[in-house]
Amino acid sequence: MQATPQSSGPAPENGPARHRRRSRGPILGLLASAAALAGLATMLTGGADAAENPYERGPAPTEASVTATRGAYAVSETRVSPFSVSGFGGGTIYYPNSTGEGTFGAVAISPGYTARQSSIAWLGPRLASQGFVVFTIDTHTTSDQPASRGDQLLAALDYLTRTSSVRNRVDSTRLGVMGHSMGGGGALEAAKDRPSLKAAIPLTGWNLDKNWPEIQTPTLIVGADGDTVAPVRSHSEPFYESLPSSLDRAYLELNNANHVTPNMSNTTIAKYSISWLKRFIDNDIRYEGFLCPLPRPSLSIAEYRGNCPHTA
């Protein structure tokens, strides 16, 4: 704090007035000190009016925590029979055991063409252990197209929040979608159809529709440099480039990867998926540092594009 400049010489004063001014000096000093302490407390605590984010879950993240095969939460799972649901083909729900922190955000994940939920099962416990309810689904048939997979992802989220045995653990206002291949194309379809979704992550996505200017959901597009089924030049890159420039969006191209890389446990996919879901489903700005500044090319990243800082 800068001291108030003082005059070089005393001003003429009468006795009583001078006494009054001098008696106020210590009081003003105490008040100034109190104000300074209050200002320091405000800076340290964020201010009395600064509300903590009620959706933060888990400890402060580190590089080790976002790349670990398991996060801070113990996880349970429950199978959902295709005969007990409508609109999709059943699946497996992974959820944190904790009940002391309120509800969690949730994400539904679709497999790709000809595949079943087992192909994306690694994402279930990995994401759930970071503080999400995760629903890996089967589709009606393994040949369902992206539009159908998008509808099924939304049907799965509706089941999860309204009917499932873990519905009381889920915050129905904080939902996201993911998917591999045609399931990734389905994630784009779901985000287009339901703008209230908080996050979308297509993994080496495939879709005949290349233009997505309608999407309002923060979207992380993940492509692979060696993908010959959904080459990035005809799929992931135009998907990303067609998203509104004002949208929180990112394009991650995996290095030395191919179309089926998302079907296997992958640290890079996990790190940036966790960070994206935390940042936009939980509004947890503690994860912003893993997304901004934009990650640089590396042994695992061929290219990364996006807008920083994020605004949502």
Side-chain angles (χ1 to χ4, degrees), residues 171-214:
D171 183 344
S172 62
T173 68
R174 297 188 294 118
L175 306 175
V177 288
M178 296 177 65
H180 171 240
S181 190
M182 281 194 182
L188 291 169
E189 299 278 0
K192 180 183 74 172
D193 292 343
R194 189 171 293 182
S196 62
L197 292 176
K198 301 301 184 185
I201 306 178
L203 303 170
T204 59
W206 189 99
N207 199 311
L208 290 175
D209 187 350
K210 313 301 181 186
N211 297 298
W212 302 93
E214 315 94 333

Side-chain angles (χ1 to χ4, degrees), residues 137-282:
I137 70 168
D138 277 318
T139 48
H140 290 308
T141 75
T142 58
S143 60
D144 289 343
Q145 297 298 296
S148 173
R149 291 171 191 267
D151 291 341
Q152 293 181 64
L153 283 167
L154 296 179
L157 288 175
D158 291 341
Y159 169 82
L160 188 64
T161 57
R162 300 172 186 174
T163 311
S164 76
S165 61
V166 300
R167 61 189 179 278
N168 293 332
R169 297 175 184 262
V170 182
D171 183 344
S172 62
T173 68
R174 297 188 294 118
L175 306 175
V177 288
M178 296 177 65
H180 171 240
S181 190
M182 281 194 182
L188 291 169
E189 299 278 0
K192 180 183 74 172
D193 292 343
R194 189 171 293 182
S196 62
L197 292 176
K198 301 301 184 185
I201 306 178
L203 303 170
T204 59
W206 189 99
N207 199 311
L208 290 175
D209 187 350
K210 313 301 181 186
N211 297 298
W212 302 93
E214 315 94 333
I215 288 182
Q216 301 174 37
T217 297
T219 301
L220 168 63
I221 304 286
V222 178
D225 63 347
D227 192 339
T228 57
V229 176
V232 293
R233 289 187 179 180
S234 58
H235 288 79
S236 293
E237 286 187 313
F239 294 164
Y240 169 77
E241 291 163 357
S242 71
L243 295 170
S245 60
S246 59
L247 183 70
D248 285 308
R249 59 177 183 160
Y251 171 73
L252 165 62
E253 185 175 315
L254 301 171
N255 199 19
N256 296 318
N258 57 48
H259 188 68
V260 298
T261 294
N263 292 155
M264 298 163 281
S265 180
N266 183 282
T267 298
T268 303
I269 291 174
K271 174 182 177 178
Y272 292 102
S273 295
I274 290 165
S275 299
W276 196 263
L277 297 173
K278 285 285 191 178
R279 179 62 182 83
F280 295 105
I281 289 182
D282 288 354

Side-chain angles (χ1 to χ4, degrees), residues 291-305:
L291 304 170
C292 295
L294 298 179
R296 302 175 68 86
S298 66
L299 292 176
S300 62
I301 298 175
E303 184 183 1
Y304 195 105
R305 304 182 221 166

Side-chain angles (χ1 to χ4, degrees), residues 11-21:
E13 296 184 301
N14 294 324
R18 181 174 183 174
H19 176 73
R20 286 195 297 272
R21 288 189 181 94

